[in-house]
C-alpha cells in the first residue's frame, strides 16, 4: 500500500553521525520542527557492494540538496557500531569515509516494518510452526517528505538496482514549484521549463508546443 500523501510515521530511531556520535532521530519531527524537506533512503546492508556507491553518490550531491532545504538521511538495519566502523573505512577499500549525513540504525526493524520494506515473509510448516524466508534486510526504498511531514514520493528498488540521485533532485524541484506556484509539472519537467495549470486548456496548449 502506497504511503504517498500520508504523514510519515512519528517514531524515533537510533542513528549515527559522521563524527561517531550516537543520535536519536525522528523523521517526522525533522521536517515539521525544522521546516525542511527530508530525503530518507534505505539500503540493505553496510559493508556490501552497491550500497557504498549510493552513499557516496548522495554525498556528492549533498550541496544540491542543501540548496533545496532538504536533509539527507540514510538508513539500514545495521547497528550504530557497524555504521561507525564503515564510516572509518576509506572509499578505496569499499568504505564510506567522508559521508556527512546521519545514518539510521533500525536494528529492531521498527520503522522498516511500518514502511513495509523488509525482505521477509513467513509461512507455517506441517507442524504449524512459523518459518521465515527472505534476507531480513530492507529493499532500496526512498522517501521524500515535505515540511508538514507528508510523504510526496516513495520508490522501492530490488536490491541489485542502484538509484539515480539526480531524479530525486528533479522531484524536489517539481514539488517545490507546485508549492510555490500552484502549477502542475508535466512529464520530464525540469527546473526552468514550463509547467501547466491543472486544466484541459493548459494541457492542450502544452502538448501543442511540445
Amino acid at each position: 500500500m502506497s504511503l504517498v500523501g500520508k504523514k510519515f510515521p512519528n517514531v524515533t530511531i537510533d542513528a549515527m553521525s559522521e563524527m561517531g556520535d550516537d543520535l536519536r532521530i525522528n523523521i517526522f519531527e525533522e521536517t515539521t520542527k525544522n521546516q525542511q524537506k527530508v530525503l530518507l533512503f534505505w539500503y540493505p546492508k553496510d559493508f556490501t557492494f552497491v550500497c557504498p556507491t549510493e552513499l557516496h553518490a548522495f554525498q556528492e550531491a549533498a550541496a544540491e540538496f542543501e540548496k533545496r532545504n532538504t536533509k539527507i538521511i540514510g538508513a539500514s538495519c545495521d547497528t550504530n557500531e557497524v555504521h561507525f566502523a564503515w564510516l572509518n573505512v576509506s572509499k578505496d577499500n569499499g568504505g564510506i569515509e567522508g559521508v556527512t549525513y546521519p545514518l539510521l540504525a533500525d536494528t529492531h526493524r521498527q520503522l522498516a516494518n511500518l514502511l513495509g520494506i523488509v525482505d521477509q515473509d513467513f509461512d507455517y510448516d506441517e507442524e504449524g510452526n512459523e518459518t521465515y524466508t527472505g534476507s531480513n534486510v530492507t529493499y532500496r526504498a526512498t522517501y521524500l517528505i515535505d515540511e508538514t511531514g507528508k510523504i510526496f514520493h516513495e520508490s522501492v528498488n530490488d536490491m541489485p538496482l542502484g538509484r539515480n540521485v539526480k531524479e530525486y533532485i528533479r522531484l524536489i524541484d517539481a514539488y517545490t514549484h507546485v508549492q510555490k506556484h500552484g502549477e502542475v509539472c508535466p512529464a520530464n519537467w525540469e527546473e526552468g521549463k514550463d509547467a501547466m495549470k491543472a486544466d484541459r486548456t493548459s494541457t492542450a496548449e502544452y502538448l501543442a508546443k511540445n
Side-chain angles (χ1 to χ4, degrees):
M1 183 180 294
S2 174
L3 297 176
V4 170
K6 298 179 174 64
K7 297 292 186 181
F8 195 84
N10 188 356
V11 297
T12 303
I13 302 294
D14 287 339
M16 172 61 59
S17 78
E18 78 281 6
M19 301 298 294
D21 297 321
D22 291 322
L23 306 173
R24 296 278 288 168
I25 291 180
N26 183 308
I27 302 293
F28 182 80
E29 291 181 355
E30 287 288 328
T31 59
T32 56
K33 288 188 175 180
N34 298 326
Q35 282 299 289
Q36 63 181 351
K37 294 180 176 68
V38 165
L39 182 148
L40 172 66
F41 74 97
W42 293 80
Y43 60 91
K45 207 171 183 181
D46 292 357
F47 290 100
T48 50
F49 313 106
V50 175
C51 296
T53 69
E54 292 194 308
L55 272 77
H56 286 296
F58 279 110
Q59 180 61 45
E60 289 167 7
E64 292 301 316
F65 287 102
E66 186 175 353
K67 287 179 189 176
R68 292 160 174 82
N69 192 33
T70 301
K71 181 171 184 175
I72 303 171
I73 298 176
S76 76
C77 298
D78 296 282
T79 65
N80 267 352
E81 290 77 13
V82 176
H83 284 337
F84 182 67
W86 204 25
L87 282 162
N88 283 279
V89 176
S90 69
K91 185 176 180 179
D92 291 344
N93 289 315
I96 58 168
E97 186 179 32
V99 165
T100 61
Y101 48 81
L103 302 175
L104 295 187
D106 189 18
T107 53
H108 297 292
R109 291 155 177 78
Q110 178 187 6
L111 181 53
N113 279 319
L114 284 173
L115 298 171
I117 57 172
V118 179
D119 174 30
Q120 184 185 80
D121 202 356
F122 71 91
D123 203 347
Y124 295 93
D125 62 21
E126 294 178 355
E127 298 177 352
N129 299 312
E130 287 185 344
T131 59
Y132 290 88
T133 60
S135 63
N136 202 31
V137 298
T138 67
Y139 294 106
R140 298 187 191 281
T142 314
Y143 298 88
L144 295 177
I145 307 117
D146 73 12
E147 298 86 349
T148 70
K150 185 181 80 173
I151 299 168
F152 65 92
H153 169 84
E154 66 174 339
S155 59
V156 183
N157 292 2
D158 201 357
M159 294 175 192
L161 307 177
R163 280 162 278 219
N164 183 337
V165 173
K166 291 181 180 178
E167 173 63 4
Y168 301 112
I169 293 173
R170 189 193 73 83
L171 288 168
I172 292 167
D173 285 342
Y175 190 78
T176 302
H177 185 91
V178 173
Q179 288 176 309
K180 288 182 177 179
H181 303 288
E183 295 179 322
V184 294
C185 297
N188 300 320
W189 182 92
E190 293 178 347
E191 184 66 43
K193 290 187 176 181
D194 290 338
M196 306 184 305
K197 295 179 181 178
D199 58 54
R200 287 188 174 85
T201 300
S202 182
T203 300
E205 291 174 350
Y206 180 88
L207 290 173
K209 291 191 298 183
N210 295 275

